[in-house]
Amino acid sequence: MRRSMLFMPGNNSGMLLNADALGADSVILDLEDAVSPQEKDSARILVRNALKYLGYKGCEVIIRINSIDTDFWKKDLDEILPMKPDMIMPPKVCSGMDIKVIENYMGEVERKHNIEKKTSLIPLIETALGVENAFEIASSSKRIKAIFLGGEDLTADLRCKRTKQGDEIFYSRGRMVMAARAAGIDVYDTPFTDVEDEEGLRTDAEFAKSLGFTGKACISPRHVQAVNEVFSPTLEEIEYAKEVMDIIQVAKEQGKGAISLRGKMIDAPIVERARQTLEAAKALGGAF
C-alpha cells in the first residue's frame, strides 16, 4: 500500500544512499526540479547507479524524469528504464497525447533492452490544462497506476498565491480525485511545503484523505510518519469494518436484505468502505 511518497534529489548521493531507510512507502528520485541543467547528466548517472547497486528494499522506487518540452527526458529514460524502476513520473503532463508520446518512447527503450515487464506511470499534473484534462490523462494508458497533483507549479499557472489552507487548489483536488476514481486508479496529493509546521501538515493530510486521496507526497523525511498515520486505517476503523462484514454475513444467513449495526442500517456503500478498510489493513500488516 502506497500512502507516502518522499521526494529525494537525484544529485545528492548521501540522500540517495539512505532513501529506503526513512519510512516512506515510495521514494521519488528526482531528476527534474531538484537538479540544475548543468547537473542533469551527472544526476542521471547517479540515480542509475543507485538503482543498480542499492536495491532499495522495502519501498517502491519512482523516478521523476524531465518534462517532454525539454531535451532531457529521453536521456533520462535511456539511462533509467534498463534499471527497471517501479514507476516513472513524467511532470507537467497536460493531455493524454503527452502520455502517448512518453509511452511510445518507453516502448522503444524496453524493446531495445529486451525488457518484458512494462514500467508503470504516475503522471504529475501541475497545470490548469492538465487538471481540466485529468480524466483523459488518467485513462490514456494501461501503464498509468495513479495520478499526482502538483500544487506549486499549478498555482503559478493559475496566477494565484499558494497558501497553507489550500483554498486555491480545492477545485483541482476534487477534480483529480474524481478523474482518478472514474478511471479506476489511485490519486496522490501535493506536498505540504512548510517543513516546520507539523500540525499544519497533519491537518492538510487529513483534509486530503477526506476528499478521497490515496496518499500524499512529502518533501521532508520529517513528514513521512504523520502522512503514513493519516492514510492508515485506525484500530477503531478496522474493528468497525470487521463488525460490518460480520453482520452482513448474519443478514445473508437469515435471508435478510437489510440489517442494522449500532442503530444504523448497513447498506452497500458502508459494506464497500468496510471492505476497503480491511484490504488496507491487510496490505499494511502490522505497520500501522
Side-chain angles (χ1 to χ4, degrees):
M1 182 178 175
R2 187 192 309 112
R3 301 160 296 175
S4 56
M5 301 190 299
L6 176 61
F7 276 99
M8 308 291 288
N11 59 347
N12 188 316
S13 58
M15 296 187 74
L16 293 181
L17 186 63
N18 298 308
D20 59 347
L22 298 171
D25 295 323
S26 303
V27 292
I28 304 170
L29 309 186
D30 188 13
L31 296 175
E32 193 212 13
D33 283 351
V35 181
S36 64
Q38 59 268 28
E39 294 183 320
K40 295 290 187 185
D41 291 340
S42 59
R44 191 181 300 119
I45 294 170
L46 190 61
V47 169
R48 179 202 66 191
N49 290 340
L51 289 173
K52 185 174 182 179
Y53 296 112
L54 296 182
Y56 292 113
K57 295 180 180 179
C59 71
E60 180 184 54
V61 180
I62 302 171
I63 310 298
R64 178 161 73 167
I65 61 172
N66 288 277
S67 63
I68 61 173
D69 61 354
T70 71
D71 296 327
F72 305 116
W73 71 279
K74 287 185 177 181
K75 294 178 182 178
D76 294 340
L77 292 174
D78 289 340
E79 290 284 354
I80 298 304
L81 278 183
M83 299 298 105
K84 301 178 182 178
D86 294 299
M87 302 182 85
I88 294 292
M89 177 182 288
K92 299 179 177 65
V93 175
C94 293
S95 68
M97 184 57 66
D98 289 349
I99 294 298
K100 294 300 181 185
V101 170
I102 295 164
E103 182 179 44
N104 288 340
Y105 192 73
M106 289 174 69
E108 291 180 21
V109 176
E110 288 166 343
R111 286 189 292 273
K112 179 180 177 181
H113 293 275
N114 297 313
I115 300 171
E116 294 184 4
K117 185 179 178 181
K118 293 182 177 180
T119 301
S120 299
L121 286 168
I122 175 169
L124 175 52
I125 297 176
E126 47 190 341
T127 65
L129 181 58
V131 169
E132 290 301 288
N133 288 334
F135 177 72
E136 175 193 320
I137 294 167
S139 58
S140 63
S141 170
K142 292 182 179 180
R143 289 182 187 258
I144 296 177
K145 305 304 179 185
I147 54 176
F148 169 29
L149 176 65
E152 300 305 311
D153 282 276
L154 175 61
T155 49
D157 194 37
L158 295 176
R159 303 179 188 179
C160 64
K161 183 179 179 180
R162 181 76 171 99
T163 67
K164 287 186 182 183
Q165 293 75 24
D167 293 343
E168 69 282 356
I169 61 169
F170 177 75
Y171 166 81
S172 301
R173 279 170 152 169
R175 180 120 183 174
M176 289 281 289
V177 170
M178 195 72 70
R181 298 312 179 192
I185 62 174
D186 290 332
V187 57
Y188 290 87
D189 191 36
T190 188
F192 186 77
T193 55
D194 189 336
V195 176
E196 305 297 329
D197 186 0
E198 295 186 14
E199 182 179 350
L201 161 70
R202 187 173 289 272
T203 299
D204 194 51
E206 289 173 347
F207 180 65
K209 181 180 180 180
S210 75
L211 291 177
F213 280 95
T214 311
K216 188 173 180 66
C218 306
I219 60 167
S220 169
R222 292 172 56 181
H223 287 181
V224 170
Q225 182 178 348
V227 168
N228 283 347
E229 289 174 358
V230 169
F231 285 96
S232 297
T234 65
L235 290 176
E236 182 180 356
E237 289 170 340
I238 294 169
E239 289 304 317
Y240 179 71
K242 289 178 180 178
E243 289 184 42
V244 168
M245 301 310 288
D246 288 343
I247 200 70
I248 282 297
Q249 184 60 37
V250 170
K252 288 181 180 179
E253 292 171 356
Q254 296 178 351
K256 295 181 178 180
I259 197 166
S260 66
L261 175 65
R262 301 182 186 179
K264 183 176 181 179
M265 295 304 298
I266 302 302
D267 55 12
I270 292 176
V271 174
E272 176 60 19
R273 282 193 290 271
R275 183 190 64 78
Q276 292 169 359
T277 296
L278 293 177
E279 282 188 357
K282 183 178 179 180
L284 292 170
F288 55 86

